[in-house]
Amino acid sequence: MVLCSYYFEVCFQFDCGHICNSCNRISKIPLDLIDINLTPIVGAGVTRIFLTWGAQSLDLDSHLTGPSGSGSRFRVFYSNKGSATSLPYANLDVNDQTSYGPEIITITRQDRGVYRYVVYNYSNCNLPGSDVLSNSQASVSLTHAGQTRTFPVPPRRAGIVWTVCELNGINVIPVNTIASANVLPE
């Protein structure tokens, strides 16, 4: 089957407060490669972390750790989704297990202390020396304090744990390392 490439414009205008007057021109993209993920615009004081990836790894997992207020740390991930309305004021909105994502974590209130965002290659957790995570085309988009930053997975690295970044107040501290240890950082 031969697919043609076209110039086209994608415009979204929703009255429900999600996207207004956002237009982007996308050109010469085969029609079977178009993948659009929409997420509501984050309000003031809200942080959104959006993970996507390619077909190579079926299940990448988002993990967020942060201060729990009792001196210990919380962890939001697939088996502890958290809460947006009570402690830890962070939740896993979307969990994908079949490639591409997205996985979305939203922080609705950030307390004092360091928050750490990590991606775990659950599909290859028994292969800590694998480079599948590094070749997964994973990308993290983080919207925090009115700024959006994108972190592509580091290329040509072996490991199953990608420590993407830390948040401390309004500061985003890139870490962007991949480790082989089957231990997730707190």
Side-chain angles (χ1 to χ4, degrees):
M1 174 165 65
V2 176
L3 294 174
C4 298
S5 296
Y6 294 95
Y7 287 97
F8 61 94
E9 188 168 83
V10 178
C11 292
F12 301 97
Q13 186 168 4
F14 294 33
D15 292 330
C16 57
H18 288 74
I19 296 177
C20 293
N21 299 325
S22 177
C23 290
N24 294 303
R25 183 168 297 282
I26 303 171
S27 61
K28 293 188 177 178
I29 299 173
L31 294 178
D32 66 335
L33 296 180
I34 297 170
D35 187 15
I36 298 173
N37 291 305
L38 298 177
T39 182
I41 294 172
V42 297
V46 174
T47 299
R48 169 113 353 102
I49 307 168
F50 199 94
L51 168 67
T52 58
W53 64 96
Q56 188 167 0
S57 187
L58 288 177
D59 190 6
L60 297 184
D61 285 332
S62 292
H63 287 250
L64 178 72
T65 63
S68 68
S70 64
S72 61
R73 294 183 61 79
F74 71 80
R75 179 179 302 275
V76 170
F77 65 115
Y78 68 91
S79 71
N80 181 21
K81 293 187 181 347
S83 172
T85 58
S86 62
L87 285 172
Y89 297 101
N91 66 299
L92 178 64
D93 302 328
V94 178
N95 177 39
D96 181 78
Q97 300 171 327
T98 59
S99 295
Y100 303 104
E103 292 220 350
I104 302 170
I105 290 182
T106 302
I107 305 169
T108 55
R109 186 177 95 189
Q110 188 175 338
D111 291 329
R112 289 185 184 191
V114 174
Y115 288 69
R116 187 168 295 114
Y117 180 72
V118 173
V119 175
Y120 178 63
N121 186 354
Y122 185 81
S123 294
N124 297 96
C125 62
N126 293 322
L127 302 169
S130 166
D131 65 352
V132 172
L133 174 59
S134 188
N135 293 318
S136 68
Q137 302 172 329
S139 180
V140 170
S141 176
L142 176 123
T143 302
H144 176 72
Q147 302 278 333
T148 299
R149 297 181 67 168
T150 301
F151 300 90
V153 66
R156 298 176 300 281
R157 308 259 172 83
I160 57 173
V161 178
W162 172 24
T163 304
V164 179
C165 64
E166 295 178 346
L167 306 171
N168 194 348
I170 63 166
N171 298 312
V172 177
I173 302 104
V175 177
N176 222 23
T177 60
I178 293 183
S180 294
N182 206 348
V183 177
L184 295 167
E186 288 293 322

